[in-house]
Amino acid sequence: MAADFPAGATIVFGGSGGIGRGVALEFAAAGSDLAVVYRSKQAVAEEVAAAARALGRQATVHRADVRERAEVFAAVAEAAAAHGRLHTVVWGAGPVVPQVPIADWTEEQFRQSMEIEAFGFNHAVQATLPHLRAAGGGSYVHLGSAGHDWWPRLDGLSVAPKACNEALIKGIAKEEGRHEIRANSILVGVIDAGQFQIGKAAGTFTPEWEAAVKAMLPLARWGSPRDIGQAAVFLASARASYVTGQTISVAGGFGV
């Protein structure tokens, strides 16, 4: 499958997260080298890189707080220098989101969600676009929320900033297609990793909640990071070279 990608690396923002690490390793398995960007989980990022190397890929790790524009630019410059080219940008960074009704959001909660997910993604786009243009093209894959199609109660602090990014993905597709740069988004459903596992441990997602949500899924199971990774690899690969500005829901049929 190595022919699906040119020489160079996929840079994964949030590559040390519960879903992000699975996505990163799917790219490695598909033949792409990796640049794993993390904020605080260096040990996990190093484990992801080591697993990619075991698959025969080159892999590097880079620290950046995505709220800080200069740190994002520095991480991208380091990754580009290490790999020679960045051909794919995967955006999977994000905080653990409090499950709070819109009426009860604090300014701090909303600001943090927007700064990490929306401002952070914009920082990543501004830092990577010159590299993709200079290399003759590339791809953006944004990990969004299935709540974009079907509003999930209490999860607005995740859905709202990701909706901003969905608009940006459309804009990149429109404006950068002439540079052979594509941009697509995955609407992520309930994945048995990351936020969901943390919420279960905290009692936020109760057995009753799980039963009610599963009852709405045609595929009566939770998704896995691999499910998201496989979709991301497809969208970024040569097999989808004429696909841009699109969203694909990987949510077990939620909202159908």
Short mmCIF file of all heavy atoms in Angstrom, two decimals, residues 109-178:
data_model
loop_
_atom_site.label_atom_id
_atom_site.label_comp_id
_atom_site.label_asym_id
_atom_site.label_seq_id
_atom_site.Cartn_x
_atom_site.Cartn_y
_atom_site.Cartn_z
N GLN A 109 -14.73 27.80 29.65
CA GLN A 109 -14.91 26.52 28.96
C GLN A 109 -15.02 26.73 27.45
O GLN A 109 -14.37 26.01 26.67
CB GLN A 109 -16.16 25.82 29.48
CG GLN A 109 -16.03 25.20 30.85
CD GLN A 109 -17.34 24.66 31.39
OE1 GLN A 109 -18.42 25.15 31.04
NE2 GLN A 109 -17.26 23.64 32.23
N PHE A 110 -15.83 27.70 27.04
CA PHE A 110 -16.01 27.93 25.61
C PHE A 110 -14.71 28.45 24.99
O PHE A 110 -14.31 28.02 23.90
CB PHE A 110 -17.14 28.92 25.37
CG PHE A 110 -17.46 29.13 23.92
CD1 PHE A 110 -17.77 28.06 23.10
CD2 PHE A 110 -17.46 30.41 23.37
CE1 PHE A 110 -18.08 28.24 21.75
CE2 PHE A 110 -17.75 30.60 22.04
CZ PHE A 110 -18.06 29.53 21.22
N ARG A 111 -14.04 29.35 25.69
CA ARG A 111 -12.79 29.89 25.16
C ARG A 111 -11.74 28.80 24.99
O ARG A 111 -11.04 28.75 23.98
CB ARG A 111 -12.26 31.00 26.09
CG ARG A 111 -11.04 31.74 25.54
CD ARG A 111 -10.60 32.84 26.49
NE ARG A 111 -11.66 33.84 26.67
CZ ARG A 111 -11.91 34.82 25.83
NH1 ARG A 111 -11.18 34.95 24.73
NH2 ARG A 111 -12.89 35.68 26.07
N GLN A 112 -11.64 27.90 25.98
CA GLN A 112 -10.64 26.83 25.88
C GLN A 112 -10.94 25.91 24.70
O GLN A 112 -10.03 25.54 23.95
CB GLN A 112 -10.59 25.99 27.16
CG GLN A 112 -9.67 24.77 27.03
CD GLN A 112 -9.46 24.05 28.33
OE1 GLN A 112 -8.61 24.43 29.12
NE2 GLN A 112 -10.21 22.98 28.54
N SER A 113 -12.21 25.55 24.54
CA SER A 113 -12.58 24.69 23.42
C SER A 113 -12.24 25.35 22.08
O SER A 113 -11.68 24.70 21.18
CB SER A 113 -14.07 24.35 23.47
OG SER A 113 -14.36 23.52 24.56
N MET A 114 -12.56 26.61 21.94
CA MET A 114 -12.28 27.31 20.69
C MET A 114 -10.78 27.50 20.47
O MET A 114 -10.28 27.35 19.35
CB MET A 114 -12.99 28.66 20.68
CG MET A 114 -14.51 28.57 20.62
SD MET A 114 -15.13 27.71 19.13
CE MET A 114 -14.67 28.89 17.86
N GLU A 115 -10.05 27.82 21.52
CA GLU A 115 -8.61 28.06 21.37
C GLU A 115 -7.88 26.78 20.97
O GLU A 115 -6.97 26.82 20.14
CB GLU A 115 -8.02 28.64 22.65
CG GLU A 115 -8.39 30.10 22.86
CD GLU A 115 -7.71 30.72 24.08
OE1 GLU A 115 -7.10 29.95 24.86
OE2 GLU A 115 -7.78 31.94 24.23
N ILE A 116 -8.26 25.65 21.57
CA ILE A 116 -7.56 24.41 21.25
C ILE A 116 -7.99 23.89 19.88
O ILE A 116 -7.15 23.60 19.02
CB ILE A 116 -7.82 23.34 22.33
CG1 ILE A 116 -7.20 23.77 23.65
CG2 ILE A 116 -7.26 21.99 21.88
CD1 ILE A 116 -7.51 22.85 24.82
N GLU A 117 -9.28 23.77 19.66
CA GLU A 117 -9.75 23.10 18.45
C GLU A 117 -9.83 24.00 17.23
O GLU A 117 -9.42 23.60 16.13
CB GLU A 117 -11.10 22.46 18.72
CG GLU A 117 -11.04 21.40 19.83
CD GLU A 117 -12.03 20.28 19.62
OE1 GLU A 117 -12.05 19.72 18.51
OE2 GLU A 117 -12.76 19.98 20.56
N ALA A 118 -10.35 25.21 17.37
CA ALA A 118 -10.52 26.08 16.21
C ALA A 118 -9.27 26.92 15.94
O ALA A 118 -8.72 26.89 14.84
CB ALA A 118 -11.73 26.99 16.40
N PHE A 119 -8.79 27.66 16.94
CA PHE A 119 -7.56 28.42 16.75
C PHE A 119 -6.39 27.46 16.48
O PHE A 119 -5.54 27.73 15.64
CB PHE A 119 -7.26 29.29 17.97
CG PHE A 119 -8.03 30.58 17.98
CD1 PHE A 119 -9.35 30.62 18.40
CD2 PHE A 119 -7.44 31.76 17.57
CE1 PHE A 119 -10.06 31.81 18.41
CE2 PHE A 119 -8.14 32.96 17.57
CZ PHE A 119 -9.47 32.99 17.99
N GLY A 120 -6.37 26.34 17.22
CA GLY A 120 -5.28 25.38 17.02
C GLY A 120 -5.25 24.85 15.60
O GLY A 120 -4.19 24.75 14.98
N PHE A 121 -6.41 24.48 15.07
CA PHE A 121 -6.45 23.97 13.70
C PHE A 121 -6.00 25.05 12.71
O PHE A 121 -5.26 24.77 11.76
CB PHE A 121 -7.84 23.47 13.36
CG PHE A 121 -7.96 22.90 11.97
CD1 PHE A 121 -7.07 21.95 11.51
CD2 PHE A 121 -8.99 23.31 11.12
CE1 PHE A 121 -7.18 21.41 10.23
CE2 PHE A 121 -9.11 22.78 9.84
CZ PHE A 121 -8.21 21.84 9.39
N ASN A 122 -6.45 26.27 12.93
CA ASN A 122 -6.02 27.35 12.04
C ASN A 122 -4.51 27.53 12.09
O ASN A 122 -3.85 27.74 11.07
CB ASN A 122 -6.72 28.65 12.40
CG ASN A 122 -6.32 29.78 11.46
OD1 ASN A 122 -6.55 29.72 10.26
ND2 ASN A 122 -5.70 30.82 12.01
N HIS A 123 -3.92 27.43 13.29
CA HIS A 123 -2.46 27.51 13.40
C HIS A 123 -1.81 26.41 12.57
O HIS A 123 -0.82 26.65 11.85
CB HIS A 123 -2.03 27.37 14.86
CG HIS A 123 -2.44 28.51 15.73
ND1 HIS A 123 -2.55 28.39 17.09
CD2 HIS A 123 -2.77 29.80 15.44
CE1 HIS A 123 -2.93 29.55 17.60
NE2 HIS A 123 -3.08 30.42 16.61
N ALA A 124 -2.35 25.20 12.66
CA ALA A 124 -1.79 24.08 11.92
C ALA A 124 -1.90 24.30 10.41
O ALA A 124 -0.96 23.99 9.65
CB ALA A 124 -2.48 22.78 12.32
N VAL A 125 -3.03 24.82 9.97
CA VAL A 125 -3.22 25.09 8.55
C VAL A 125 -2.23 26.14 8.07
O VAL A 125 -1.57 25.97 7.03
CB VAL A 125 -4.67 25.53 8.27
CG1 VAL A 125 -4.82 26.05 6.84
CG2 VAL A 125 -5.63 24.38 8.51
N GLN A 126 -2.12 27.23 8.80
CA GLN A 126 -1.21 28.30 8.40
C GLN A 126 0.24 27.82 8.35
O GLN A 126 1.03 28.25 7.49
CB GLN A 126 -1.34 29.50 9.35
CG GLN A 126 -2.71 30.16 9.37
CD GLN A 126 -3.09 30.72 8.01
OE1 GLN A 126 -2.27 31.29 7.31
NE2 GLN A 126 -4.35 30.55 7.63
N ALA A 127 0.58 26.92 9.26
CA ALA A 127 1.96 26.43 9.31
C ALA A 127 2.26 25.41 8.22
O ALA A 127 3.39 25.35 7.72
CB ALA A 127 2.24 25.81 10.68
N THR A 128 1.27 24.62 7.83
CA THR A 128 1.53 23.53 6.89
C THR A 128 1.24 23.86 5.43
O THR A 128 1.83 23.24 4.53
CB THR A 128 0.71 22.28 7.28
OG1 THR A 128 -0.69 22.64 7.37
CG2 THR A 128 1.18 21.70 8.61
N LEU A 129 0.37 24.80 5.18
CA LEU A 129 0.02 25.11 3.79
C LEU A 129 1.25 25.41 2.91
O LEU A 129 1.34 24.90 1.79
CB LEU A 129 -0.97 26.28 3.72
CG LEU A 129 -2.45 25.93 3.56
CD1 LEU A 129 -3.29 27.19 3.58
CD2 LEU A 129 -2.70 25.16 2.28
N PRO A 130 2.20 26.22 3.38
CA PRO A 130 3.36 26.47 2.52
C PRO A 130 4.13 25.21 2.15
O PRO A 130 4.64 25.08 1.03
CB PRO A 130 4.22 27.42 3.37
CG PRO A 130 3.26 28.07 4.30
CD PRO A 130 2.25 27.03 4.62
N HIS A 131 4.19 24.25 3.09
CA HIS A 131 4.91 23.01 2.81
C HIS A 131 4.17 22.18 1.77
O HIS A 131 4.80 21.62 0.85
CB HIS A 131 5.08 22.20 4.10
CG HIS A 131 5.96 22.87 5.11
ND1 HIS A 131 7.34 22.78 5.07
CD2 HIS A 131 5.67 23.64 6.18
CE1 HIS A 131 7.85 23.47 6.07
NE2 HIS A 131 6.85 24.01 6.76
N LEU A 132 2.85 22.09 1.90
CA LEU A 132 2.08 21.31 0.93
C LEU A 132 2.13 21.96 -0.45
O LEU A 132 2.27 21.27 -1.46
CB LEU A 132 0.63 21.17 1.40
CG LEU A 132 0.31 19.93 2.26
CD1 LEU A 132 1.16 19.89 3.53
CD2 LEU A 132 -1.17 19.88 2.60
N ARG A 133 2.04 23.27 -0.50
CA ARG A 133 2.13 23.95 -1.79
C ARG A 133 3.49 23.72 -2.44
O ARG A 133 3.58 23.41 -3.64
CB ARG A 133 1.92 25.46 -1.59
CG ARG A 133 0.48 25.89 -1.41
CD ARG A 133 0.44 27.40 -1.23
NE ARG A 133 -0.91 27.94 -1.21
CZ ARG A 133 -1.17 29.23 -1.06
NH1 ARG A 133 -0.16 30.10 -0.91
NH2 ARG A 133 -2.43 29.67 -1.04
N ALA A 134 4.55 23.88 -1.67
CA ALA A 134 5.90 23.75 -2.22
C ALA A 134 6.18 22.35 -2.74
O ALA A 134 6.98 22.17 -3.67
CB ALA A 134 6.92 24.12 -1.14
N ALA A 135 5.51 21.35 -2.14
CA ALA A 135 5.73 19.96 -2.54
C ALA A 135 4.82 19.52 -3.68
O ALA A 135 4.89 18.38 -4.12
CB ALA A 135 5.53 19.04 -1.34
N GLY A 136 3.95 20.41 -4.13
CA GLY A 136 3.09 20.07 -5.25
C GLY A 136 1.75 19.49 -4.86
O GLY A 136 1.02 18.96 -5.70
N GLY A 137 1.39 19.62 -3.57
CA GLY A 137 0.07 19.17 -3.15
C GLY A 137 0.10 18.38 -1.86
O GLY A 137 1.16 18.20 -1.25
N GLY A 138 -1.07 17.91 -1.47
CA GLY A 138 -1.18 17.15 -0.23
C GLY A 138 -2.62 17.09 0.21
O GLY A 138 -3.54 17.40 -0.56
N SER A 139 -2.81 16.72 1.46
CA SER A 139 -4.16 16.47 1.94
C SER A 139 -4.31 16.84 3.41
O SER A 139 -3.39 16.63 4.20
CB SER A 139 -4.49 14.98 1.77
OG SER A 139 -5.78 14.67 2.27
N TYR A 140 -5.48 17.38 3.74
CA TYR A 140 -5.88 17.60 5.13
C TYR A 140 -7.01 16.63 5.47
O TYR A 140 -7.93 16.45 4.68
CB TYR A 140 -6.39 19.03 5.34
CG TYR A 140 -5.31 20.08 5.31
CD1 TYR A 140 -4.97 20.71 4.12
CD2 TYR A 140 -4.63 20.43 6.48
CE1 TYR A 140 -3.98 21.67 4.09
CE2 TYR A 140 -3.63 21.39 6.45
CZ TYR A 140 -3.31 22.00 5.25
OH TYR A 140 -2.31 22.95 5.22
N VAL A 141 -6.90 16.02 6.64
CA VAL A 141 -7.98 15.19 7.16
C VAL A 141 -8.30 15.68 8.56
O VAL A 141 -7.46 15.62 9.46
CB VAL A 141 -7.61 13.70 7.21
CG1 VAL A 141 -8.77 12.89 7.78
CG2 VAL A 141 -7.23 13.19 5.82
N HIS A 142 -9.51 16.19 8.73
CA HIS A 142 -9.96 16.74 10.01
C HIS A 142 -10.84 15.72 10.71
O HIS A 142 -11.74 15.14 10.10
CB HIS A 142 -10.74 18.03 9.75
CG HIS A 142 -11.45 18.56 10.95
ND1 HIS A 142 -12.83 18.49 11.11
CD2 HIS A 142 -10.98 19.17 12.06
CE1 HIS A 142 -13.16 19.03 12.26
NE2 HIS A 142 -12.07 19.45 12.87
N LEU A 143 -10.57 15.47 11.98
CA LEU A 143 -11.42 14.58 12.77
C LEU A 143 -12.47 15.42 13.48
O LEU A 143 -12.18 16.10 14.47
CB LEU A 143 -10.59 13.78 13.78
CG LEU A 143 -9.45 12.95 13.20
CD1 LEU A 143 -8.85 12.05 14.28
CD2 LEU A 143 -9.88 12.12 11.99
N GLY A 144 -13.66 15.41 12.96
CA GLY A 144 -14.74 16.22 13.48
C GLY A 144 -15.67 15.42 14.38
O GLY A 144 -15.26 14.44 15.02
N SER A 145 -16.93 15.81 14.43
CA SER A 145 -17.90 15.18 15.31
C SER A 145 -19.15 14.77 14.55
O SER A 145 -19.67 15.54 13.74
CB SER A 145 -18.29 16.14 16.44
OG SER A 145 -19.38 15.62 17.18
N ALA A 146 -19.63 13.56 14.86
CA ALA A 146 -20.91 13.13 14.29
C ALA A 146 -22.04 14.05 14.73
O ALA A 146 -23.11 14.08 14.10
CB ALA A 146 -21.21 11.69 14.69
N GLY A 147 -21.81 14.81 15.80
CA GLY A 147 -22.79 15.80 16.24
C GLY A 147 -23.02 16.91 15.24
O GLY A 147 -23.96 17.69 15.38
N HIS A 148 -22.17 16.99 14.22
CA HIS A 148 -22.37 17.97 13.16
C HIS A 148 -23.67 17.67 12.40
O HIS A 148 -24.32 18.58 11.90
CB HIS A 148 -21.18 17.92 12.20
CG HIS A 148 -21.13 19.05 11.22
ND1 HIS A 148 -20.85 20.35 11.60
CD2 HIS A 148 -21.33 19.09 9.88
CE1 HIS A 148 -20.86 21.13 10.53
NE2 HIS A 148 -21.17 20.40 9.49
N ASP A 149 -24.04 16.39 12.34
CA ASP A 149 -25.28 15.99 11.65
C ASP A 149 -26.44 15.76 12.60
O ASP A 149 -27.60 15.93 12.21
CB ASP A 149 -25.03 14.68 10.88
CG ASP A 149 -24.20 14.88 9.63
OD1 ASP A 149 -24.13 16.02 9.13
OD2 ASP A 149 -23.62 13.89 9.15
N TRP A 150 -26.14 15.37 13.83
CA TRP A 150 -27.19 15.01 14.80
C TRP A 150 -26.72 15.49 16.16
O TRP A 150 -25.86 14.87 16.76
CB TRP A 150 -27.42 13.51 14.77
CG TRP A 150 -28.53 13.00 15.65
CD1 TRP A 150 -28.54 12.93 17.01
CD2 TRP A 150 -29.79 12.47 15.23
NE1 TRP A 150 -29.71 12.40 17.47
CE2 TRP A 150 -30.50 12.11 16.39
CE3 TRP A 150 -30.38 12.28 13.97
CZ2 TRP A 150 -31.78 11.54 16.33
CZ3 TRP A 150 -31.64 11.71 13.93
CH2 TRP A 150 -32.34 11.36 15.10
N TRP A 151 -27.28 16.61 16.63
CA TRP A 151 -26.77 17.26 17.85
C TRP A 151 -26.83 16.32 19.06
O TRP A 151 -27.91 15.85 19.42
CB TRP A 151 -27.56 18.53 18.14
CG TRP A 151 -27.00 19.29 19.30
CD1 TRP A 151 -27.38 19.21 20.61
CD2 TRP A 151 -25.95 20.24 19.26
NE1 TRP A 151 -26.63 20.05 21.39
CE2 TRP A 151 -25.74 20.69 20.59
CE3 TRP A 151 -25.15 20.76 18.25
CZ2 TRP A 151 -24.77 21.65 20.92
CZ3 TRP A 151 -24.19 21.70 18.58
CH2 TRP A 151 -24.01 22.14 19.89
N PRO A 152 -25.69 16.04 19.71
CA PRO A 152 -25.70 15.18 20.88
C PRO A 152 -25.84 16.01 22.15
O PRO A 152 -25.07 16.95 22.40
CB PRO A 152 -24.32 14.51 20.82
CG PRO A 152 -23.45 15.52 20.13
CD PRO A 152 -24.34 16.36 19.26
N ARG A 153 -26.82 15.70 22.94
CA ARG A 153 -27.06 16.45 24.17
C ARG A 153 -25.80 16.52 25.02
O ARG A 153 -25.14 15.51 25.24
CB ARG A 153 -28.21 15.79 24.94
CG ARG A 153 -28.58 16.50 26.23
CD ARG A 153 -29.79 15.84 26.89
NE ARG A 153 -30.09 16.45 28.19
CZ ARG A 153 -29.55 16.03 29.33
NH1 ARG A 153 -28.70 15.01 29.33
NH2 ARG A 153 -29.86 16.62 30.47
N LEU A 154 -25.48 17.71 25.48
CA LEU A 154 -24.39 18.02 26.41
C LEU A 154 -23.00 18.06 25.78
O LEU A 154 -22.03 18.42 26.44
CB LEU A 154 -24.36 17.05 27.60
CG LEU A 154 -25.64 16.91 28.42
CD1 LEU A 154 -25.41 15.95 29.59
CD2 LEU A 154 -26.11 18.26 28.93
N ASP A 155 -22.87 17.71 24.49
CA ASP A 155 -21.54 17.63 23.88
C ASP A 155 -21.19 18.85 23.03
O ASP A 155 -20.30 18.80 22.19
CB ASP A 155 -21.44 16.36 23.03
CG ASP A 155 -20.00 15.93 22.78
OD1 ASP A 155 -19.16 16.11 23.69
OD2 ASP A 155 -19.71 15.41 21.69
N GLY A 156 -21.89 19.95 23.25
CA GLY A 156 -21.72 21.12 22.40
C GLY A 156 -20.33 21.73 22.43
O GLY A 156 -19.89 22.33 21.45
N LEU A 157 -19.62 21.59 23.55
CA LEU A 157 -18.27 22.17 23.63
C LEU A 157 -17.29 21.44 22.72
O LEU A 157 -16.21 21.95 22.44
CB LEU A 157 -17.76 22.14 25.07
CG LEU A 157 -18.42 23.18 25.99
CD1 LEU A 157 -18.06 22.90 27.46
CD2 LEU A 157 -17.97 24.60 25.61
N SER A 158 -17.69 20.27 22.24
CA SER A 158 -16.91 19.59 21.22
C SER A 158 -17.43 19.91 19.82
O SER A 158 -16.66 20.19 18.91
CB SER A 158 -16.96 18.07 21.45
OG SER A 158 -16.35 17.38 20.38
N VAL A 159 -18.74 19.91 19.68
CA VAL A 159 -19.33 20.06 18.34
C VAL A 159 -19.14 21.48 17.80
O VAL A 159 -18.81 21.66 16.62
CB VAL A 159 -20.83 19.72 18.38
CG1 VAL A 159 -21.45 19.88 17.00
CG2 VAL A 159 -21.03 18.29 18.87
N ALA A 160 -19.31 22.48 18.64
CA ALA A 160 -19.28 23.87 18.15
C ALA A 160 -17.93 24.27 17.55
O ALA A 160 -17.89 24.78 16.42
CB ALA A 160 -19.66 24.83 19.28
N PRO A 161 -16.81 24.06 18.23
CA PRO A 161 -15.54 24.43 17.60
C PRO A 161 -15.21 23.58 16.38
O PRO A 161 -14.62 24.09 15.41
CB PRO A 161 -14.50 24.24 18.71
CG PRO A 161 -15.14 23.32 19.69
CD PRO A 161 -16.59 23.60 19.62
N LYS A 162 -15.63 22.33 16.40
CA LYS A 162 -15.38 21.48 15.23
C LYS A 162 -16.19 21.95 14.03
O LYS A 162 -15.78 21.79 12.88
CB LYS A 162 -15.70 20.02 15.56
CG LYS A 162 -14.67 19.35 16.47
CD LYS A 162 -15.05 17.90 16.72
CE LYS A 162 -13.96 17.13 17.48
NZ LYS A 162 -13.79 17.59 18.85
N ALA A 163 -17.36 22.55 14.29
CA ALA A 163 -18.16 23.10 13.19
C ALA A 163 -17.42 24.24 12.49
O ALA A 163 -17.50 24.39 11.27
CB ALA A 163 -19.51 23.58 13.70
N CYS A 164 -16.70 25.03 13.26
CA CYS A 164 -15.85 26.08 12.67
C CYS A 164 -14.83 25.45 11.73
O CYS A 164 -14.61 25.93 10.61
CB CYS A 164 -15.16 26.86 13.79
SG CYS A 164 -13.96 28.09 13.22
N ASN A 165 -14.24 24.34 12.17
CA ASN A 165 -13.24 23.68 11.34
C ASN A 165 -13.84 23.05 10.10
O ASN A 165 -13.18 22.98 9.05
CB ASN A 165 -12.51 22.61 12.17
CG ASN A 165 -11.65 23.20 13.27
OD1 ASN A 165 -11.44 24.41 13.32
ND2 ASN A 165 -11.18 22.36 14.16
N GLU A 166 -15.09 22.58 10.21
CA GLU A 166 -15.75 22.02 9.02
C GLU A 166 -15.85 23.10 7.94
O GLU A 166 -15.64 22.82 6.74
CB GLU A 166 -17.15 21.50 9.36
CG GLU A 166 -17.20 20.35 10.36
CD GLU A 166 -16.51 19.09 9.90
OE1 GLU A 166 -16.19 18.97 8.69
OE2 GLU A 166 -16.29 18.22 10.75
N ALA A 167 -16.15 24.32 8.34
CA ALA A 167 -16.22 25.42 7.38
C ALA A 167 -14.85 25.69 6.78
O ALA A 167 -14.70 25.96 5.57
CB ALA A 167 -16.78 26.67 8.05
N LEU A 168 -13.81 25.64 7.62
CA LEU A 168 -12.46 25.88 7.13
C LEU A 168 -12.03 24.79 6.14
O LEU A 168 -11.36 25.09 5.14
CB LEU A 168 -11.49 25.95 8.32
CG LEU A 168 -10.04 26.36 8.02
CD1 LEU A 168 -9.98 27.67 7.25
CD2 LEU A 168 -9.25 26.46 9.31
N ILE A 169 -12.42 23.56 6.40
CA ILE A 169 -12.11 22.48 5.47
C ILE A 169 -12.71 22.76 4.10
O ILE A 169 -12.05 22.59 3.05
CB ILE A 169 -12.64 21.13 6.02
CG1 ILE A 169 -11.74 20.62 7.15
CG2 ILE A 169 -12.76 20.09 4.91
CD1 ILE A 169 -10.37 20.14 6.69
N LYS A 170 -13.95 23.23 4.07
CA LYS A 170 -14.59 23.58 2.80
C LYS A 170 -13.81 24.68 2.09
O LYS A 170 -13.60 24.65 0.88
CB LYS A 170 -16.03 24.04 3.04
CG LYS A 170 -16.98 22.98 3.57
CD LYS A 170 -17.40 22.02 2.49
CE LYS A 170 -18.51 21.11 3.01
NZ LYS A 170 -18.89 20.09 2.00
N GLY A 171 -13.37 25.68 2.88
CA GLY A 171 -12.62 26.78 2.30
C GLY A 171 -11.29 26.35 1.73
O GLY A 171 -10.88 26.80 0.64
N ILE A 172 -10.60 25.48 2.44
CA ILE A 172 -9.31 24.97 1.93
C ILE A 172 -9.52 24.23 0.62
O ILE A 172 -8.78 24.42 -0.35
CB ILE A 172 -8.65 24.06 2.98
CG1 ILE A 172 -8.25 24.84 4.23
CG2 ILE A 172 -7.41 23.38 2.39
CD1 ILE A 172 -7.87 23.96 5.40
N ALA A 173 -10.55 23.39 0.59
CA ALA A 173 -10.83 22.64 -0.63
C ALA A 173 -11.08 23.58 -1.80
O ALA A 173 -10.58 23.37 -2.92
CB ALA A 173 -12.03 21.72 -0.41
N LYS A 174 -11.85 24.63 -1.56
CA LYS A 174 -12.18 25.59 -2.64
C LYS A 174 -10.96 26.38 -3.09
O LYS A 174 -10.72 26.55 -4.29
CB LYS A 174 -13.25 26.57 -2.13
CG LYS A 174 -14.63 25.99 -1.97
CD LYS A 174 -15.40 26.04 -3.27
CE LYS A 174 -16.87 25.71 -3.02
NZ LYS A 174 -17.67 25.83 -4.26
N GLU A 175 -10.17 26.88 -2.13
CA GLU A 175 -9.10 27.81 -2.45
C GLU A 175 -7.79 27.13 -2.84
O GLU A 175 -7.00 27.70 -3.59
CB GLU A 175 -8.85 28.74 -1.26
CG GLU A 175 -10.04 29.64 -0.94
CD GLU A 175 -9.76 30.58 0.22
OE1 GLU A 175 -8.61 30.61 0.71
OE2 GLU A 175 -10.70 31.29 0.63
N GLU A 176 -7.55 25.94 -2.30
CA GLU A 176 -6.25 25.31 -2.50
C GLU A 176 -6.26 24.17 -3.49
O GLU A 176 -5.20 23.58 -3.77
CB GLU A 176 -5.71 24.82 -1.16
CG GLU A 176 -5.48 25.93 -0.14
CD GLU A 176 -4.44 26.94 -0.60
OE1 GLU A 176 -3.48 26.54 -1.31
OE2 GLU A 176 -4.58 28.13 -0.25
N GLY A 177 -7.42 23.85 -4.07
CA GLY A 177 -7.46 22.78 -5.07
C GLY A 177 -6.55 23.04 -6.24
O GLY A 177 -5.96 22.11 -6.80
N ARG A 178 -6.39 24.29 -6.61
CA ARG A 178 -5.51 24.63 -7.74
C ARG A 178 -4.06 24.29 -7.45
O ARG A 178 -3.24 24.21 -8.36
CB ARG A 178 -5.66 26.11 -8.11
CG ARG A 178 -5.26 27.07 -7.01
CD ARG A 178 -5.78 28.47 -7.29
NE ARG A 178 -5.47 29.39 -6.22
CZ ARG A 178 -4.43 30.22 -6.23
NH1 ARG A 178 -3.59 30.24 -7.27
NH2 ARG A 178 -4.22 31.06 -5.22
#
